Amino acid sequence: MNQFFANILTGINSLIGNYGWSMVIFTLLIKLLISPLDYKSRKGMRRTQMIQPEIAKLQKKYANDKDKMNQKMAELYRKENISPMSGCLPMLISMPLLFIMFAAMRNVANMELAKQSIDLLVSGVQTNESWLWIRNLWMPDSPFYATIANQQNLQIIPADIWAKVYASLTDATRASLEGLGINAGNISGQTLFPLLQATEAYQAE
């Protein structure tokens, strides 16, 4: 599911040509997707709030008889045609979609940061993905961070992402990496960073 959402994001970017705006559109699409669930959740919560005075009366009247209180509350819910879970259930369904959305965006960010680092290592030049005031979307937007990935940023990229990025490289880029001692079997943030750190562009940062 993460990869499916990531494919949607990259597909949008292939049309838009900028990941910043692509993420905005992607987020709006997900929001549109879960809006019916959000509407149901809000509607259920409002209806539940409307009968709160009645619930409070039952809780007070049957405070010493929990079974009777639960029975009367169940009767009240049936009478008003309200499910006790009407406010929570839609939210429980939409939350996993939001988690998947953020995971997909994180996967794309890891892929692009890995590609940037390899390009810098091979060509000596890093083409940043800028958006509005952000100099590089794949790095934290902070004055304390450079646009080039540091050791921590590279090491949190999972091994499967490195494998996918390596598989997508051209033969010429792979040959350049192999000349530096990096291949499909050992490519990682740990092996890449010392070489990246030695580049002129990294030292200039």
Side-chain angles (χ1 to χ4, degrees):
M1 196 67 171
N2 287 355
Q3 189 57 50
F4 175 71
F5 273 43
N7 289 342
I8 293 175
L9 176 55
T10 54
I12 294 171
N13 183 65
S14 68
L15 298 174
I16 302 299
N18 180 274
Y19 264 112
W21 292 115
S22 297
M23 288 182 182
V24 171
I25 294 170
F26 178 62
T27 303
L28 290 175
L29 285 176
I30 299 300
K31 180 65 177 176
L32 185 63
L33 179 66
I34 66 175
S35 58
L37 294 173
D38 185 51
Y39 172 75
K40 277 190 173 183
S41 178
R42 292 176 184 275
K43 184 178 178 181
M45 291 173 69
R46 282 197 299 268
R47 294 186 66 189
T48 302
Q49 287 173 353
M50 290 175 63
I51 64 170
Q52 281 302 312
E54 294 296 323
I55 292 175
K57 288 179 182 178
L58 292 175
Q59 289 173 336
K60 183 177 180 181
K61 184 175 181 179
Y62 300 104
N64 297 323
D65 190 345
K66 299 295 183 183
D67 292 337
K68 189 69 173 179
M69 182 181 70
N70 291 333
Q71 179 187 340
K72 291 295 183 180
M73 287 179 64
E75 290 174 0
L76 176 63
Y77 279 120
R78 282 196 299 272
K79 177 184 174 183
E80 299 294 336
N81 195 27
I82 298 174
S83 169
M85 294 294 292
S86 59
C88 300
L89 189 58
M91 190 181 300
L92 292 175
I93 296 173
S94 63
M95 284 301 290
L97 291 176
L98 293 175
F99 288 135
I100 293 170
M101 180 191 77
F102 286 117
M105 293 170 74
R106 181 72 265 167
N107 282 349
V108 171
N110 283 334
M111 288 278 290
E112 295 302 318
L113 185 59
K115 289 178 183 178
Q116 276 188 348
S117 300
I118 290 172
D119 286 343
L120 175 59
L121 186 59
V122 171
S123 68
V125 178
Q126 175 172 291
T127 303
N128 293 328
E129 181 75 29
S130 60
W131 181 63
L132 299 180
W133 68 89
I134 302 173
R135 295 182 299 161
N136 186 2
L137 273 175
W138 316 125
M139 289 292 291
D141 180 32
S142 167
F144 304 106
Y145 274 85
T147 58
I148 297 176
N150 59 29
Q151 187 173 14
Q152 182 182 4
N153 299 134
L154 293 178
Q155 287 185 338
I156 63 174
I157 298 176
D160 65 313
I161 296 294
W162 285 112
K164 288 179 182 178
V165 170
Y166 189 85
S168 70
L169 299 176
T170 63
D171 291 339
T173 302
R174 290 183 196 174
S176 297
L177 289 177
E178 288 171 3
L180 297 171
I182 297 176
N183 53 52
N186 68 2
I187 187 169
S188 67
Q190 187 173 357
T191 57
L192 207 69
F193 180 71
L195 299 171
L196 190 65
Q197 197 175 24
T199 63
E200 293 183 7
Y202 190 93
Q203 292 174 357
E205 282 281 332

